[in-house]
Amino acid sequence: MAAAHRRGGRTGEEEYVERWWHYLTPGPLQLGTGLACLGVGMQRGRLPTVGPRTLDHWVAVVVSGGRGWFAAPDGIRQPVTAPAVLWLRPGVPHHYAPDGDGWSESFVDFTGAATAAYAELGLLPDTAVVPLTATESAQRVIARIAGVCRRGGPLTGVEAAAAVHELLVELRRHRADLDPAGEPVLEVLRRDACLPLSVSEHARRAGMTVPELRRAVQAVGAVGPKEYLLTVRLNEAKQLLAASELPVAAVARRVGYDDPAYFTRIFTRRVGVAPSVFRAQQYRGDGQLRAVGRAELARELTELYGPERGSAEARRATD
């Protein structure tokens, strides 16, 4: 751990710097979890220029106040204005500094095999300088990592790594360069996910082309609409299998699949076990499977879908 508070003269002006940081050395077991925190720090003032340098791990530098610049490998300088985050990628040269008035920053170093998946999910962007709408939530997470490091203990690395995951989510949530118009689109898709509709039909219902729907969903959800719909459907199917005695064929129809065999194949491929096996493992009912009458099922489906479709689904499920 290191800390410094320095005052000095520079061309007749007072120079002011506050710096604190702590580094961690994860062992093989920690690295085996896929994500490990390597260090955390907080700095403000007229900080020195960083680089040019190249690291072998990721760093998120959250700039909460002030201005400066960031130089990409081509040497071109980009302006940096708070609130923003600098993403330092492993193996990519970088060079940055605040302007003459200094800035406030917090940083977290991290590594692990899981970073590849985080990048695919859009939580680790290709863009080095990303504007943010706010930094407060990210700063709270970083402060928690710092607190964990200050306290120490046998679970320091595990707690710090768990907070890194949360930090990545917060920084993704507060990106200012993403179109927020995708949020209501996701809400509509979530609401209608279990209707037996294709992606193109979902796009038409949203007044979009398929490419427009894909861009809107990826802007806020990282995955495409097909993957998002599938995830919602499988989550609902698990709920039904664990909490009801509906036949698998009825569960398939409830989540938008008219072909029970196809539903079983896709469920098995994604979940790892067949629907019937999942139910046997996860059933949370009264401890004994029982038949569900059409009237009871109709009431349940009516609450979910409304009177007209609820009655039709009940007939189909019990025929």
Side-chain angles (χ1 to χ4, degrees):
M1 182 182 300
H5 179 86
R6 179 165 58 88
R7 291 179 182 271
R10 188 180 66 174
T11 63
E13 297 180 356
E14 183 180 56
E15 185 177 5
Y16 174 62
V17 176
E18 285 187 357
R19 310 174 76 181
W20 179 92
W21 57 85
H22 184 98
Y23 291 105
L24 299 172
T25 305
L29 289 178
Q30 178 66 57
L31 292 171
T33 67
L35 187 65
C37 180
L38 298 175
V40 60
M42 301 173 183
Q43 308 182 107
R44 65 189 178 107
R46 297 189 179 112
L47 303 174
T49 299
V50 175
R53 68 174 185 179
T54 304
L55 299 174
D56 62 356
H57 59 270
W58 283 89
V59 184
V61 182
V62 179
V63 181
S64 55
R67 300 170 180 269
W69 54 267
F70 180 91
D74 57 12
I76 298 176
R77 291 190 176 187
Q78 302 173 244
V80 177
T81 301
V85 56
L86 309 181
W87 290 108
L88 313 182
R89 302 174 64 89
V92 179
H94 56 266
H95 191 195
Y96 65 91
D99 64 15
D101 293 328
W103 70 19
S104 297
E105 71 170 54
S106 303
F107 64 85
V108 174
D109 296 48
F110 58 97
T111 191
T115 56
Y118 282 108
E120 286 292 323
L121 289 168
L123 276 71
L124 294 174
D126 294 329
T127 307
V129 180
V130 176
L132 300 173
T133 58
T135 62
E136 288 78 8
S137 61
Q139 287 177 286
R140 284 194 293 270
V141 177
I142 295 173
R144 193 159 68 249
I145 297 174
V148 166
C149 291
R150 285 189 176 103
R151 291 194 307 272
L155 295 179
T156 297
V158 176
E159 291 183 72
V164 171
H165 172 93
E166 185 179 353
L167 176 65
L168 300 184
V169 172
E170 290 297 335
L171 292 174
R172 175 63 171 74
R173 180 175 290 128
H174 291 285
R175 285 183 64 168
D177 60 334
L178 298 180
D179 185 359
E183 292 288 355
V185 174
L186 276 188
E187 182 61 35
V188 171
L189 285 182
R190 186 162 52 246
R191 182 196 67 198
D192 296 340
C194 292
L195 296 176
L197 302 173
S198 65
V199 171
S200 60
E201 288 170 326
H202 279 288
R204 282 197 296 272
R205 287 165 66 93
M208 296 177 162
T209 64
V210 171
E212 288 172 339
L213 178 67
R214 184 179 300 111
R215 285 193 295 272
V217 173
Q218 289 177 331
V220 292
V223 298
K226 184 176 181 180
E227 175 69 17
Y228 182 76
L229 290 166
L230 175 60
T231 299
V232 175
R233 287 180 168 188
L234 291 178
N235 290 348
E236 177 64 15
K238 287 181 174 181
Q239 288 285 107
L240 293 170
L241 290 166
S244 78
E245 297 84 9
L246 285 171
V248 171
V251 170
R253 289 192 289 268
R254 286 278 296 273
V255 299
Y257 295 99
D258 289 327
D259 183 351
Y262 176 74
F263 163 74
T264 296
R265 287 197 301 273
I266 198 166
F267 186 99
T268 304
R269 185 166 63 245
R270 291 299 297 267
V271 178
V273 295
S276 58
V277 176
F278 180 87
R279 166 172 277 163
Q281 295 173 342
Q282 301 293 336
Y283 183 65
R284 296 291 189 271
D286 59 9
Q288 179 178 348
L289 293 178
R290 58 182 176 80
V292 180
R294 178 177 291 182
E296 180 182 352
L297 181 58
R299 285 194 299 272
E300 183 182 353
L301 295 178
T302 296
E303 291 178 0
L304 183 65
Y305 297 118
E308 184 175 347
R309 187 181 170 204
S311 298
E313 288 288 339
R315 286 195 299 271
R316 293 174 63 186
T318 54
D319 285 345

mmCIF file of all heavy atoms in Angstrom, residues 226-253:
data_model
loop_
_atom_site.group_PDB
_atom_site.id
_atom_site.type_symbol
_atom_site.label_atom_id
_atom_site.label_comp_id
_atom_site.label_asym_id
_atom_site.label_seq_id
_atom_site.Cartn_x
_atom_site.Cartn_y
_atom_site.Cartn_z
ATOM 1 N N LYS A 226 -32.648 -12.364 -30.696
ATOM 2 C CA LYS A 226 -32.927 -13.798 -30.649
ATOM 3 C C LYS A 226 -32.419 -14.411 -29.356
ATOM 4 O O LYS A 226 -33.127 -15.177 -28.679
ATOM 5 C CB LYS A 226 -32.289 -14.501 -31.848
ATOM 6 C CG LYS A 226 -32.615 -15.984 -31.941
ATOM 7 C CD LYS A 226 -32.038 -16.587 -33.211
ATOM 8 C CE LYS A 226 -32.386 -18.071 -33.313
ATOM 9 N NZ LYS A 226 -31.826 -18.680 -34.557
ATOM 10 N N GLU A 227 -31.193 -14.056 -28.977
ATOM 11 C CA GLU A 227 -30.617 -14.572 -27.741
ATOM 12 C C GLU A 227 -31.374 -14.038 -26.529
ATOM 13 O O GLU A 227 -31.609 -14.770 -25.559
ATOM 14 C CB GLU A 227 -29.138 -14.177 -27.660
ATOM 15 C CG GLU A 227 -28.447 -14.542 -26.368
ATOM 16 C CD GLU A 227 -28.263 -16.045 -26.197
ATOM 17 O OE1 GLU A 227 -28.381 -16.790 -27.197
ATOM 18 O OE2 GLU A 227 -28.000 -16.475 -25.054
ATOM 19 N N TYR A 228 -31.763 -12.782 -26.584
ATOM 20 C CA TYR A 228 -32.485 -12.183 -25.458
ATOM 21 C C TYR A 228 -33.833 -12.872 -25.272
ATOM 22 O O TYR A 228 -34.217 -13.223 -24.146
ATOM 23 C CB TYR A 228 -32.686 -10.694 -25.702
ATOM 24 C CG TYR A 228 -33.395 -9.986 -24.567
ATOM 25 C CD1 TYR A 228 -32.718 -9.694 -23.392
ATOM 26 C CD2 TYR A 228 -34.735 -9.652 -24.663
ATOM 27 C CE1 TYR A 228 -33.361 -9.058 -22.334
ATOM 28 C CE2 TYR A 228 -35.389 -9.021 -23.617
ATOM 29 C CZ TYR A 228 -34.699 -8.731 -22.459
ATOM 30 O OH TYR A 228 -35.344 -8.118 -21.413
ATOM 31 N N LEU A 229 -34.569 -13.074 -26.366
ATOM 32 C CA LEU A 229 -35.869 -13.743 -26.285
ATOM 33 C C LEU A 229 -35.718 -15.168 -25.756
ATOM 34 O O LEU A 229 -36.515 -15.626 -24.932
ATOM 35 C CB LEU A 229 -36.532 -13.754 -27.658
ATOM 36 C CG LEU A 229 -37.021 -12.400 -28.182
ATOM 37 C CD1 LEU A 229 -37.341 -12.490 -29.671
ATOM 38 C CD2 LEU A 229 -38.251 -11.931 -27.401
ATOM 39 N N LEU A 230 -34.692 -15.866 -26.234
ATOM 40 C CA LEU A 230 -34.474 -17.238 -25.785
ATOM 41 C C LEU A 230 -34.203 -17.281 -24.284
ATOM 42 O O LEU A 230 -34.736 -18.139 -23.564
ATOM 43 C CB LEU A 230 -33.298 -17.851 -26.550
ATOM 44 C CG LEU A 230 -32.863 -19.253 -26.118
ATOM 45 C CD1 LEU A 230 -34.003 -20.247 -26.266
ATOM 46 C CD2 LEU A 230 -31.643 -19.705 -26.906
ATOM 47 N N THR A 231 -33.407 -16.343 -23.793
ATOM 48 C CA THR A 231 -33.097 -16.306 -22.360
ATOM 49 C C THR A 231 -34.352 -16.079 -21.533
ATOM 50 O O THR A 231 -34.576 -16.749 -20.515
ATOM 51 C CB THR A 231 -32.070 -15.204 -22.072
ATOM 52 O OG1 THR A 231 -30.868 -15.485 -22.797
ATOM 53 C CG2 THR A 231 -31.754 -15.140 -20.587
ATOM 54 N N VAL A 232 -35.193 -15.137 -21.960
ATOM 55 C CA VAL A 232 -36.440 -14.870 -21.230
ATOM 56 C C VAL A 232 -37.329 -16.111 -21.235
ATOM 57 O O VAL A 232 -37.917 -16.484 -20.210
ATOM 58 C CB VAL A 232 -37.180 -13.667 -21.835
ATOM 59 C CG1 VAL A 232 -38.534 -13.469 -21.155
ATOM 60 C CG2 VAL A 232 -36.350 -12.403 -21.693
ATOM 61 N N ARG A 233 -37.431 -16.767 -22.379
ATOM 62 C CA ARG A 233 -38.280 -17.957 -22.479
ATOM 63 C C ARG A 233 -37.774 -19.091 -21.590
ATOM 64 O O ARG A 233 -38.559 -19.748 -20.898
ATOM 65 C CB ARG A 233 -38.342 -18.429 -23.939
ATOM 66 C CG ARG A 233 -39.177 -17.555 -24.850
ATOM 67 C CD ARG A 233 -39.176 -18.095 -26.265
ATOM 68 N NE ARG A 233 -40.179 -17.439 -27.089
ATOM 69 C CZ ARG A 233 -40.503 -17.822 -28.320
ATOM 70 N NH1 ARG A 233 -39.861 -18.862 -28.864
ATOM 71 N NH2 ARG A 233 -41.435 -17.188 -29.000
ATOM 72 N N LEU A 234 -36.486 -19.336 -21.608
ATOM 73 C CA LEU A 234 -35.942 -20.418 -20.794
ATOM 74 C C LEU A 234 -36.082 -20.121 -19.307
ATOM 75 O O LEU A 234 -36.355 -21.029 -18.513
ATOM 76 C CB LEU A 234 -34.480 -20.660 -21.158
ATOM 77 C CG LEU A 234 -34.220 -21.268 -22.541
ATOM 78 C CD1 LEU A 234 -32.728 -21.412 -22.785
ATOM 79 C CD2 LEU A 234 -34.921 -22.607 -22.692
ATOM 80 N N ASN A 235 -35.910 -18.860 -18.925
ATOM 81 C CA ASN A 235 -36.105 -18.500 -17.521
ATOM 82 C C ASN A 235 -37.538 -18.778 -17.077
ATOM 83 O O ASN A 235 -37.786 -19.299 -15.982
ATOM 84 C CB ASN A 235 -35.769 -17.028 -17.298
ATOM 85 C CG ASN A 235 -34.290 -16.734 -17.419
ATOM 86 O OD1 ASN A 235 -33.475 -17.646 -17.456
ATOM 87 N ND2 ASN A 235 -33.944 -15.461 -17.491
ATOM 88 N N GLU A 236 -38.485 -18.418 -17.932
ATOM 89 C CA GLU A 236 -39.891 -18.663 -17.604
ATOM 90 C C GLU A 236 -40.182 -20.157 -17.574
ATOM 91 O O GLU A 236 -40.927 -20.645 -16.714
ATOM 92 C CB GLU A 236 -40.787 -17.973 -18.633
ATOM 93 C CG GLU A 236 -42.280 -18.202 -18.444
ATOM 94 C CD GLU A 236 -42.819 -17.619 -17.136
ATOM 95 O OE1 GLU A 236 -42.119 -16.796 -16.518
ATOM 96 O OE2 GLU A 236 -43.935 -18.006 -16.742
ATOM 97 N N ALA A 237 -39.592 -20.909 -18.514
ATOM 98 C CA ALA A 237 -39.799 -22.358 -18.538
ATOM 99 C C ALA A 237 -39.282 -22.995 -17.243
ATOM 100 O O ALA A 237 -39.930 -23.884 -16.669
ATOM 101 C CB ALA A 237 -39.096 -22.966 -19.744
ATOM 102 N N LYS A 238 -38.149 -22.553 -16.758
ATOM 103 C CA LYS A 238 -37.613 -23.088 -15.505
ATOM 104 C C LYS A 238 -38.563 -22.810 -14.346
ATOM 105 O O LYS A 238 -38.776 -23.674 -13.480
ATOM 106 C CB LYS A 238 -36.245 -22.472 -15.223
ATOM 107 C CG LYS A 238 -35.121 -22.991 -16.110
ATOM 108 C CD LYS A 238 -33.800 -22.331 -15.719
ATOM 109 C CE LYS A 238 -32.636 -22.926 -16.480
ATOM 110 N NZ LYS A 238 -31.350 -22.308 -16.088
ATOM 111 N N GLN A 239 -39.114 -21.589 -14.331
ATOM 112 C CA GLN A 239 -40.066 -21.255 -13.281
ATOM 113 C C GLN A 239 -41.251 -22.214 -13.294
ATOM 114 O O GLN A 239 -41.678 -22.723 -12.256
ATOM 115 C CB GLN A 239 -40.576 -19.819 -13.475
ATOM 116 C CG GLN A 239 -39.559 -18.749 -13.167
ATOM 117 C CD GLN A 239 -39.361 -18.599 -11.678
ATOM 118 O OE1 GLN A 239 -38.325 -19.003 -11.139
ATOM 119 N NE2 GLN A 239 -40.331 -18.041 -10.988
ATOM 120 N N LEU A 240 -41.797 -22.453 -14.481
ATOM 121 C CA LEU A 240 -42.966 -23.319 -14.606
ATOM 122 C C LEU A 240 -42.642 -24.762 -14.237
ATOM 123 O O LEU A 240 -43.437 -25.444 -13.583
ATOM 124 C CB LEU A 240 -43.512 -23.241 -16.034
ATOM 125 C CG LEU A 240 -44.110 -21.892 -16.448
ATOM 126 C CD1 LEU A 240 -44.382 -21.875 -17.942
ATOM 127 C CD2 LEU A 240 -45.393 -21.626 -15.671
ATOM 128 N N LEU A 241 -41.479 -25.227 -14.661
ATOM 129 C CA LEU A 241 -41.090 -26.608 -14.359
ATOM 130 C C LEU A 241 -40.864 -26.807 -12.866
ATOM 131 O O LEU A 241 -41.198 -27.860 -12.306
ATOM 132 C CB LEU A 241 -39.826 -26.977 -15.130
ATOM 133 C CG LEU A 241 -39.988 -27.130 -16.645
ATOM 134 C CD1 LEU A 241 -38.624 -27.164 -17.321
ATOM 135 C CD2 LEU A 241 -40.794 -28.374 -16.995
ATOM 136 N N ALA A 242 -40.317 -25.799 -12.204
ATOM 137 C CA ALA A 242 -39.998 -25.932 -10.783
ATOM 138 C C ALA A 242 -41.203 -25.710 -9.885
ATOM 139 O O ALA A 242 -41.231 -26.217 -8.761
ATOM 140 C CB ALA A 242 -38.897 -24.959 -10.407
ATOM 141 N N ALA A 243 -42.201 -24.967 -10.357
ATOM 142 C CA ALA A 243 -43.287 -24.563 -9.463
ATOM 143 C C ALA A 243 -44.660 -25.084 -9.861
ATOM 144 O O ALA A 243 -45.635 -24.835 -9.149
ATOM 145 C CB ALA A 243 -43.342 -23.035 -9.374
ATOM 146 N N SER A 244 -44.753 -25.784 -10.982
ATOM 147 C CA SER A 244 -46.070 -26.269 -11.411
ATOM 148 C C SER A 244 -45.965 -27.715 -11.864
ATOM 149 O O SER A 244 -44.878 -28.262 -12.005
ATOM 150 C CB SER A 244 -46.610 -25.410 -12.561
ATOM 151 O OG SER A 244 -45.996 -25.763 -13.794
ATOM 152 N N GLU A 245 -47.134 -28.309 -12.064
ATOM 153 C CA GLU A 245 -47.192 -29.688 -12.557
ATOM 154 C C GLU A 245 -47.612 -29.733 -14.016
ATOM 155 O O GLU A 245 -48.051 -30.769 -14.518
ATOM 156 C CB GLU A 245 -48.178 -30.500 -11.707
ATOM 157 C CG GLU A 245 -47.785 -30.635 -10.248
ATOM 158 C CD GLU A 245 -48.234 -29.443 -9.433
ATOM 159 O OE1 GLU A 245 -48.986 -28.604 -9.953
ATOM 160 O OE2 GLU A 245 -47.820 -29.330 -8.259
ATOM 161 N N LEU A 246 -47.521 -28.611 -14.707
ATOM 162 C CA LEU A 246 -47.865 -28.596 -16.125
ATOM 163 C C LEU A 246 -47.017 -29.620 -16.888
ATOM 164 O O LEU A 246 -45.812 -29.724 -16.642
ATOM 165 C CB LEU A 246 -47.606 -27.213 -16.723
ATOM 166 C CG LEU A 246 -48.587 -26.093 -16.389
ATOM 167 C CD1 LEU A 246 -48.037 -24.770 -16.886
ATOM 168 C CD2 LEU A 246 -49.938 -26.372 -17.016
ATOM 169 N N PRO A 247 -47.620 -30.365 -17.815
ATOM 170 C CA PRO A 247 -46.815 -31.250 -18.667
ATOM 171 C C PRO A 247 -45.780 -30.443 -19.435
ATOM 172 O O PRO A 247 -45.966 -29.242 -19.692
ATOM 173 C CB PRO A 247 -47.854 -31.854 -19.620
ATOM 174 C CG PRO A 247 -49.160 -31.691 -18.930
ATOM 175 C CD PRO A 247 -49.060 -30.447 -18.122
ATOM 176 N N VAL A 248 -44.695 -31.092 -19.814
ATOM 177 C CA VAL A 248 -43.639 -30.400 -20.548
ATOM 178 C C VAL A 248 -44.184 -29.781 -21.828
ATOM 179 O O VAL A 248 -43.803 -28.662 -22.202
ATOM 180 C CB VAL A 248 -42.476 -31.366 -20.858
ATOM 181 C CG1 VAL A 248 -41.476 -30.720 -21.823
ATOM 182 C CG2 VAL A 248 -41.773 -31.785 -19.569
ATOM 183 N N ALA A 249 -45.090 -30.472 -22.493
ATOM 184 C CA ALA A 249 -45.677 -29.922 -23.722
ATOM 185 C C ALA A 249 -46.425 -28.624 -23.435
ATOM 186 O O ALA A 249 -46.367 -27.666 -24.217
ATOM 187 C CB ALA A 249 -46.611 -30.936 -24.368
ATOM 188 N N ALA A 250 -47.117 -28.575 -22.299
ATOM 189 C CA ALA A 250 -47.846 -27.359 -21.936
ATOM 190 C C ALA A 250 -46.876 -26.242 -21.582
ATOM 191 O O ALA A 250 -47.103 -25.071 -21.919
ATOM 192 C CB ALA A 250 -48.785 -27.634 -20.769
ATOM 193 N N VAL A 251 -45.782 -26.585 -20.895
ATOM 194 C CA VAL A 251 -44.758 -25.585 -20.579
ATOM 195 C C VAL A 251 -44.186 -25.014 -21.874
ATOM 196 O O VAL A 251 -43.997 -23.804 -22.007
ATOM 197 C CB VAL A 251 -43.649 -26.203 -19.715
ATOM 198 C CG1 VAL A 251 -42.464 -25.235 -19.583
ATOM 199 C CG2 VAL A 251 -44.180 -26.574 -18.340
ATOM 200 N N ALA A 252 -43.927 -25.891 -22.838
ATOM 201 C CA ALA A 252 -43.388 -25.436 -24.118
ATOM 202 C C ALA A 252 -44.321 -24.414 -24.754
ATOM 203 O O ALA A 252 -43.882 -23.360 -25.230
ATOM 204 C CB ALA A 252 -43.188 -26.630 -25.054
ATOM 205 N N ARG A 253 -45.627 -24.711 -24.770
ATOM 206 C CA ARG A 253 -46.573 -23.773 -25.373
ATOM 207 C C ARG A 253 -46.654 -22.479 -24.575
ATOM 208 O O ARG A 253 -46.797 -21.397 -25.141
ATOM 209 C CB ARG A 253 -47.945 -24.429 -25.485
ATOM 210 C CG ARG A 253 -48.022 -25.519 -26.549
ATOM 211 C CD ARG A 253 -49.452 -25.924 -26.819
ATOM 212 N NE ARG A 253 -50.016 -26.669 -25.702
ATOM 213 C CZ ARG A 253 -49.980 -28.001 -25.602
ATOM 214 N NH1 ARG A 253 -49.371 -28.720 -26.540
ATOM 215 N NH2 ARG A 253 -50.522 -28.611 -24.564
#
